[in-house]
Amino acid sequence: MSTTTSTGATDTPPAEDTAGGELLPTAGARRTWAVLGEGVRATGWATPLALLTVLAGSGAGLVAPWVLGAMVDDISAGADLDAVLRSAGLIAAAAVVGGLLVGLGAWLVSRVGETVLARLRERVMDRVLHMPATRLERVRIGDLLSRVGDDVAVVTASIARTGPDVVIALATVVLTAAGMTALDWRLGLAGLCALPVYAMALRWYLPRSGPYYARERIAMGERSHAMMGALRGRGAVRAYRLEDEHEERVARRSRAARDITVEVFRLFTRFGSRLNGAECVGLTAVLVTGFWLVRGDLATVGMVTAAALYFHRLFGPMIFLVMNFNEVQSAGASLARLAGVVDLPQERDPGAEEGPAGSTVRVEGVTHSYGNGAPPALEDVTLEVAAGERVALVGASGAGKTTLAALVSGLRTPGRGTVYLGGVPLDELGERRVREHVYLVSQETHVFAGTLLEDLRLARADAQPADAERALEAVGALEWVRALPEGLDTVVGEGGHPLTAEQAQHLALARLVLADPDVAVLDEATAEAGSSGARRLERAAVAATAGRTTLVVAHRLTQAEAADRVVVMDRGRIVEQGPHAELVAAGGRYAALWRSWQGAPGPDTAAPAV
């Protein structure tokens, strides 16, 4: 099946109708942590090494307060200058070692984080790319794009900017609390007086902030959905003068996302004020406890000084964690959305071991609609295409041609009825088998970034340059390919050599030749080239599909004229079918279309759309 799977513009539901599409799931907190843990465990020794390095660097930072406290006691006891200098030298050495270890630890943590995220991205993309086409059609495009775009960007930024610092800050908090307790357990308990205040602040903040961040990510997905709907349907939007309506929809959803972000920040600032109170309570408790311990000769002034310095050392890491807690929360919400995609069930593909018996296509009693109360796009359609037969579908816009092509190519599953390939229902063959035997070339063909040869190899990974040239020659494209700066090695796609619409469609037809399927479905595959290149593409399409069972959604009636049989559709039903000459002679609906076509100003001028 072609890498391009657009079903065209005639039979797809309008953008507004798809606004109620399916949202992808979001993982719960436990499952999110489990997915993250799976990624961390996969890094092997790198994670323990990073954590040990960070802990060693944070441990070196404990030396200075401890030595300063000892220095206070030494000076009080009348120690000489040499003792003071030794203490200063020890502090300097610990600072250098600690700085080096912290820097190395930050690099290692960042490397581990990027590795985990890269593998998570790969899992997300693997699940999305292997999602059955029928499921993908139901998913809201804005929600999907926000997950593989916005959510990945949020998690990436969080890991790159704050991930290492968060790990270092947490290690510093844990080791500093241990250092205070090592000085005197009562001083350690005094420092713990701040914990209830921290806990109350967190208990107040977390239940309120979590839903806000989840709503923020959903609101951003809604905004992306509104933007993509307007951009994808820009032609219809302009034709019906709906620009103001779509601009207002995008603006409304953007305002909703902005308002949630502002509310989150207000909540966050109130949280920060509560944490400042915790710092005040903790430092006061340490100093008062130290005063009574010194007064009772249970501790020295140096010990209390060191404890106060330790607790003061917590201010930086705690403030950092607080000031970045909103980013961590936002990253957590995005991570939960990515984990939700990772956990999508791998829908079982029957993948029949044996392929279909022949290339006959039979559509039996098929009815299909796009939901949301829309009228049927197809209603009780029955059609058989013999092996090697070329059938053209014609009819007015909205007649059901593209929907029928999508059902035959396996992109959609009929609401009622069955599509058979070689006598086997498509749903029994499974998507993988269908792709092996049915190839779709649609109106909108994507040129992937890379060399021309790599673009062609999408159809057959082991294709050699000689195979590619034979395929290009078959569709009449070899001449212009050889005229490119580097021939098959010319870089095309985004940032590369630009290709015309005709050349892009030539590539799609050459991929068809390389794939060598039993059945070809051409969904207005020559429409985008314009009148000047349409005839050349029609000849290329005939050459590419020679000997194959072919279903053509005809944009030009010259395609119907060249077909073995013409099927005329209207309002989701087949109203006429037969060879071109017989239908013209019958004087029915197709004959009227043909007379209109023949009355066009010139042979290469586009006639009314069929």
Side-chain angles (χ1 to χ4, degrees):
M1 193 178 292
S2 171
T3 52
T4 300
T5 57
S6 168
T7 54
T10 57
D11 304 315
T12 52
E16 187 61 26
D17 287 347
T18 61
E22 177 183 328
L23 288 174
L24 293 168
T26 298
R30 179 177 297 179
R31 180 54 190 160
T32 301
W33 280 108
V35 170
L36 186 61
E38 292 168 5
V40 170
R41 287 192 296 273
T43 61
W45 58 267
T47 298
L49 177 61
L51 292 178
L52 286 174
T53 305
V54 168
L55 289 173
S58 299
L62 298 177
V63 173
W66 189 292
V67 174
L68 283 172
M71 188 186 298
V72 169
D73 288 337
D74 289 344
I75 293 174
S76 298
D80 56 16
L81 181 60
D82 290 341
V84 174
L85 292 177
R86 283 195 299 271
S87 297
L90 182 59
I91 291 172
V96 172
V97 172
L100 292 174
L101 288 174
V102 166
L104 178 60
W107 178 78
L108 290 173
V109 169
S110 178
R111 182 177 178 181
V112 168
E114 291 287 0
T115 301
V116 171
L117 180 59
R119 289 173 179 168
L120 178 61
R121 280 199 304 262
E122 290 170 2
R123 293 177 67 185
V124 169
M125 289 303 299
D126 177 75
R127 188 68 85 242
V128 170
L129 292 175
H130 286 86
M131 190 183 298
T134 52
R135 173 75 182 276
L136 196 59
E137 288 284 344
R138 300 196 304 267
V139 172
R140 299 189 65 170
I141 185 65
D143 184 51
L144 178 59
L145 288 177
S146 68
R147 300 207 186 205
V148 298
D150 291 345
D151 289 326
V152 168
V154 167
V155 178
T156 300
S158 180
I159 287 179
R161 288 200 304 261
T162 63
D165 292 332
V166 166
V167 174
I168 292 171
L170 288 172
T172 300
V173 169
V174 172
L175 290 180
T176 301
M180 286 181 59
T181 305
L183 285 169
D184 189 285
W185 63 271
R186 287 157 292 199
L187 293 173
L189 286 177
L192 292 179
C193 289
L195 286 183
V197 185
Y198 281 123
M200 286 188 291
L202 287 170
R203 186 176 181 182
W204 174 86
Y205 179 68
L206 291 179
R208 291 170 172 80
S209 62
Y212 269 110
Y213 284 110
R215 286 171 52 200
E216 183 183 33
R217 302 312 309 161
I218 292 174
M220 289 182 176
E222 295 287 338
R223 180 183 61 191
S224 298
H225 185 74
M227 293 175 64
M228 287 303 300
L231 292 174
R232 291 176 69 192
R234 59 190 180 278
V237 169
R238 290 175 180 172
Y240 290 100
R241 300 179 182 177
L242 297 175
E243 294 93 337
D244 293 341
E245 179 182 334
H246 280 267
E247 285 179 7
E248 173 57 28
R249 183 179 299 132
V250 172
R252 185 169 62 251
R253 296 184 183 181
S254 296
R255 286 194 298 269
R258 177 205 62 196
D259 291 344
I260 294 174
T261 301
V262 170
E263 287 299 319
V264 167
F265 184 74
R266 287 175 180 168
L267 193 69
F268 174 69
T269 55
R270 294 167 64 188
F271 177 50
S273 66
R274 285 168 166 77
L275 290 176
N276 288 335
E279 293 172 354
C280 179
V281 169
L283 185 57
T284 301
V286 169
L287 292 176
V288 170
T289 302
F291 172 78
W292 287 107
L293 289 175
V294 172
R295 187 171 181 178
D297 289 331
L298 298 174
T300 65
V301 174
M303 292 171 62
V304 176
T305 301
L309 290 174
Y310 276 143
F311 192 84
H312 187 271
R313 186 172 182 261
L314 292 175
F315 288 4
M318 289 303 299
I319 289 175
F320 172 80
L321 291 173
V322 169
M323 295 305 293
N324 289 276
F325 201 80
N326 60 338
E327 187 171 342
V328 173
Q329 280 277 89
S330 183
S334 293
L335 190 61
R337 285 161 57 82
L338 295 177
V341 177
V342 168
D343 277 349
L344 283 174
Q346 288 184 320
E347 298 189 27
R348 189 178 65 87
D349 187 342
E353 294 184 2
E354 296 183 4
S359 59
T360 300
V361 173
R362 189 169 86 255
V363 178
E364 192 171 287
V366 164
T367 296
H368 185 76
S369 65
Y370 291 100
N372 297 327
L378 293 177
E379 190 168 0
D380 196 24
V381 172
T382 296
L383 174 68
E384 183 165 346
V385 184
E389 185 182 16
R390 184 180 185 86
V391 172
L393 299 177
V394 301
S397 295
K401 306 184 300 296
T402 291
T403 300
L404 182 55
L407 294 175
V408 170
S409 58
L411 283 183
R412 294 184 181 276
T413 302
R416 189 169 68 245
T418 307
V419 179
Y420 297 88
L421 174 61
V424 183
L426 294 190
D427 56 355
E428 291 185 14
L429 279 175
E431 191 169 309
R432 180 179 59 84
R433 276 292 187 184
V434 172
R435 286 177 178 173
E436 291 175 0
H437 294 276
V438 183
Y439 194 98
L440 170 69
V441 180
S442 70
Q443 180 176 349
E444 300 172 9
T445 298
H446 183 70
V447 178
F448 290 84
T451 66
L452 198 66
L453 180 58
E454 290 171 341
D455 203 288
L456 289 168
R457 280 175 173 164
L458 291 170
R460 203 179 89 203
D462 62 347
Q464 299 302 309
D467 300 323
E469 288 186 354
R470 281 193 294 270
L472 290 166
E473 186 175 15
V475 298
L478 188 57
E479 183 178 351
W480 65 259
V481 168
R482 285 177 172 169
L484 293 176
E486 297 178 57
L488 284 173
D489 294 324
T490 301
V491 175
V492 295
E494 186 175 355
H497 183 85
L499 298 182
T500 66
E502 180 185 351
Q503 290 172 336
Q505 205 66 44
H506 261 142
L507 284 186
L509 293 170
R511 290 179 196 150
L512 168 59
V513 175
L514 280 174
D516 194 23
D518 299 322
V519 179
V521 179
L522 307 184
D523 185 3
E524 298 189 359
T526 65
E528 288 293 316
S531 298
S532 61
R535 287 293 179 89
R536 287 191 295 271
L537 284 180
E538 286 176 16
R539 290 193 293 269
V542 170
T545 57
R548 311 182 201 281
T549 304
T550 305
L551 190 66
V552 181
V553 177
H555 178 72
R556 299 163 61 87
L557 288 189
T558 49
Q559 296 171 288
E561 184 182 16
D564 300 317
R565 181 161 44 114
V566 179
V567 173
V568 184
M569 300 189 68
D570 181 52
R571 298 180 183 181
R573 292 178 176 272
I574 295 175
V575 294
E576 286 183 340
Q577 59 177 307
H580 165 79
E582 289 183 10
L583 291 180
V584 171
R589 192 176 307 233
Y590 180 76
L593 288 173
W594 180 253
R595 285 194 299 271
S596 174
W597 176 269
Q598 291 295 90
D604 284 325
T605 302
V610 295

